[in-house]
Amino acid sequence: PSSTGSKSHRLLMAMMLAVPTLSFGTQQTKYPLEIINCGVKQTFTKPPERAVTMNQGMTEFLLAMGLEGSMAGTAYIDDEIWPRYEKAYKKVKVLAEKYATDAQLMEVDADFITANYGSAFSEKPRRRSGSDSGVFTNKTVGPCDGEGSDYFAIYGTTNATNMAGPYGTCRPQLHEANIGTWLETTYCEDKGLRPEVATEQTVYDAIKEIGAIFNVNDVAKMLIDQIEADFDAAQTAVKNTGHALTAILLDGIGCGDDGKGYFVGAGEGSVNMILESAGMTNLFGVKDSESFKEDSYACVTADEIIALNPDVLLLIEADWDKALNKINHLHNSSAWCAAPFVQRADYIKIPFSASALSPRNGAAAVDLVSVSTHLLTGATTINLKSGVTAFDPKMLVNQTAKLLCPLSLTDMKYSGVSAPTDDSDDLPAWAIALIAVFCSLFVLVLAGACYMFAREKQGKPIFTEVTSEVAKA
């Protein structure tokens, strides 16, 4: 089925994704508060007190709003917590390295679960694939079927894209167990319920709705203002630098049926939003182009990436897949070694947590502008410490030294080391200096000979006068 749907379907979707009408300032959230999130309706009678975040983006959203005191736990941290929230993060219990199990969630008496990805609410085993990677079993809230689990309804009307199910999501069953949920909208289970493309407004809407649920509307407004200022700073920096770069974000290697594909940022999710905010053209996000890919991510071939020849290649840094692993792969393949962006090592490292919808998206856009400027000129500008960085040139030289196409400092503009002039006809400096000395001596000898010849013609030879003077003496 189409991910865009009919015009009427889109109108209804927009209504469903709309944030409740709330005023910031001194006005408090009025409970009961009804929320329709990704096609699932729920009612909050009070702010959650024992929330669990199942992905790092949502963890940082709640910490950014000062809600660590309302959190019973976190799970699935992809990389380092943003330093500005590290102190608050240490106050919250870490339930699991990956997704917390349903038993762990019940043990901490969670009353609210929020996540960036729909898989955090999946039934175990997974209904569609039979995989055992789900979260909720029949021992807790399963089985997870029916409306809101296998299909979605819009104000009583069956959604045309429901045929993509069954999804086996357990959000309605959690609500029946008095456990609220919230799913980031670019990953709604039904693609027809997602925004057509993630924008800065997608970030603000998420913050506003979470702020309403927790009755921290003032804090949510301040956070929105801060992130909006970051995005504005990125736009100003782009205008000042005047650069217009093409880019591709490489998340991982080994996708597809044959396990040989490359997982890249596509044209509809947070990756595309951040790249565009940093003045970059996501080559897999150009609408109406042959290279355009739907969704937030897509699996492509090496040939597709190499043919597009981006100015810069962003490499995801995550605890489960380091950026250096991708560099090792690129520099140990003859096909990749021929790519200009690989030969120049025009790489940018970006934490996975900064590429997902999170409060650091604006800061990541600013740092992307700064780092891309550094790659082009070697200059170092503002750094909001979002985790977006360039690689150290000397480290890259050492890292690739024993690979198929090793790097040298002269390959990288940002290393500060220029390549020597490669012209075999040029003489070395010492030879040029020696020739200059000989030429000077020749001129002096020639001048002396000319003077002697002139005196001889006048009948006054120099050596005769010298001999005469000696005889007189």
Side-chain angles (χ1 to χ4, degrees):
S2 169
S3 66
T4 56
S6 66
K7 183 177 181 181
S8 60
H9 171 67
R10 280 292 174 187
L11 178 61
L12 288 170
M13 183 198 73
M15 294 171 64
M16 292 194 66
L17 295 177
V19 176
T21 303
L22 296 163
S23 299
F24 288 117
T26 57
Q27 184 174 345
Q28 302 293 302
T29 300
K30 293 181 180 180
Y31 298 99
L33 174 68
E34 184 178 283
I35 296 288
I36 300 176
N37 167 241
C38 287
V40 181
K41 183 188 296 186
Q42 61 186 308
T43 301
F44 293 88
T45 58
K46 63 178 182 177
E49 298 175 349
R50 299 191 59 76
V52 173
T53 53
M54 294 284 268
N55 297 107
Q56 186 166 342
M58 297 313 304
T59 298
E60 293 189 0
F61 269 133
L62 265 61
L63 295 178
M65 287 186 265
L67 292 169
E68 61 271 17
S70 300
M71 295 172 65
T74 68
Y76 223 136
I77 298 302
D78 302 299
D79 45 67
E80 293 183 5
I81 285 287
W82 202 1
R84 65 177 65 177
Y85 306 137
E86 187 175 6
K87 185 176 180 180
Y89 174 70
K90 290 180 178 179
K91 297 178 181 179
V92 184
K93 183 178 181 180
V94 177
L95 302 181
E97 290 185 3
K98 294 187 177 181
Y99 283 144
T101 65
D102 57 351
Q104 290 173 317
L105 293 166
M106 301 305 166
E107 185 178 345
V108 297
D109 195 22
D111 63 359
F112 181 75
I113 303 171
T114 182
N116 285 81
Y117 311 106
S119 54
F121 300 107
S122 59
E123 185 178 26
K124 181 178 181 177
R126 302 289 286 272
R127 180 159 302 199
R128 184 186 297 179
S129 65
S131 166
D132 200 42
S133 62
V135 176
F136 296 97
T137 66
N138 290 349
K139 293 181 179 180
T140 52
V141 299
C144 302
D145 52 18
E147 182 179 335
S149 290
D150 288 334
Y151 67 92
F152 299 90
I154 300 179
Y155 301 113
T157 302
T158 300
N159 183 351
T161 65
N162 286 334
M163 298 304 293
Y167 301 98
T169 183
C170 298
R171 295 180 63 211
Q173 291 74 24
L174 287 165
H175 298 167
E176 290 176 6
N178 295 318
I179 301 174
T181 66
W182 195 89
L183 173 60
E184 194 262 284
T185 57
T186 64
Y187 281 94
C188 290
E189 293 93 343
D190 191 314
K191 293 181 181 180
L193 299 176
R194 300 174 185 176
E196 288 191 33
V197 61
T199 66
E200 296 167 21
Q201 190 61 46
T202 309
V203 181
Y204 307 148
D205 287 348
I207 295 170
K208 188 174 181 182
E209 190 156 277
I210 295 167
I213 292 170
F214 282 89
N215 194 22
V216 288
N217 301 297
D218 293 347
V219 178
K221 175 63 165 60
M222 289 188 288
L223 180 58
I224 290 171
D225 289 345
Q226 178 184 344
I227 297 173
E228 189 171 16
D230 289 339
F231 278 121
D232 289 344
Q235 292 298 316
T236 300
V238 169
K239 291 178 181 177
N240 290 340
T241 58
H243 75 230
L245 302 176
T246 60
I248 289 174
L249 180 141
L250 178 58
D251 175 271
I253 301 169
C255 59
D257 293 337
D258 60 2
K260 296 180 180 180
Y262 296 79
F263 208 49
V264 298
E268 297 176 347
S270 55
V271 168
N272 188 68
M273 172 196 66
I274 296 167
L275 292 178
E276 288 189 347
S277 298
M280 296 179 175
T281 298
N282 175 15
L283 292 175
F284 288 113
V286 181
K287 288 280 189 180
D288 300 323
S289 70
E290 292 184 1
S291 62
F292 177 77
K293 303 296 181 183
E294 295 181 345
D295 296 336
S296 294
Y297 286 90
C299 188
V300 301
T301 65
D303 289 343
E304 288 179 271
I305 299 175
I306 294 170
L308 289 171
N309 189 26
D311 294 321
V312 295
L313 185 67
L314 282 70
L315 302 175
I316 286 290
E317 172 75 8
D319 288 348
W320 31 267
D321 188 6
K322 298 294 185 182
L324 286 180
N325 293 339
K326 302 174 185 70
I327 289 177
N328 290 342
H329 177 87
L330 297 176
H331 286 265
N332 222 17
S333 160
S334 56
W336 286 107
C337 286
F341 57 91
V342 172
Q343 295 172 351
R344 299 188 305 263
D346 284 336
Y347 305 134
I348 295 176
K349 180 169 66 175
I350 179 170
F352 184 80
S353 56
S355 69
L357 209 75
S358 76
R360 68 168 96 180
N361 291 155
V366 174
D367 287 346
L368 268 178
V369 179
S370 176
V371 174
S372 59
T373 301
H374 173 71
L375 291 185
L376 293 174
T377 66
T380 301
T381 57
I382 189 171
N383 183 357
L384 296 186
K385 301 187 183 303
S386 66
V388 177
T389 61
F391 290 90
D392 177 72
K394 292 183 179 178
M395 182 278 294
L396 289 177
V397 170
N398 293 333
Q399 183 72 21
T400 62
K402 296 181 180 180
L403 302 180
L404 185 61
C405 50
L407 290 164
S408 66
L409 292 177
T410 56
D411 294 327
M412 298 167 269
K413 287 184 179 180
Y414 52 96
S415 71
V417 179
S418 300
T421 303
D422 185 16
D423 190 343
S424 58
D425 292 335
D426 288 347
L427 293 172
W430 64 266
I432 295 174
L434 187 60
I435 291 172
V437 171
F438 278 122
C439 288
S440 298
L441 291 174
F442 176 76
V443 171
L444 290 174
V445 171
L446 182 62
C450 291
Y451 178 69
M452 291 171 60
F453 178 74
R455 292 295 298 267
E456 287 286 347
K457 290 190 68 174
Q458 295 172 2
K460 300 177 180 179
I462 294 175
F463 293 112
T464 301
E465 291 184 1
V466 173
T467 304
S468 301
E469 295 294 330
V470 172
K472 291 178 181 179

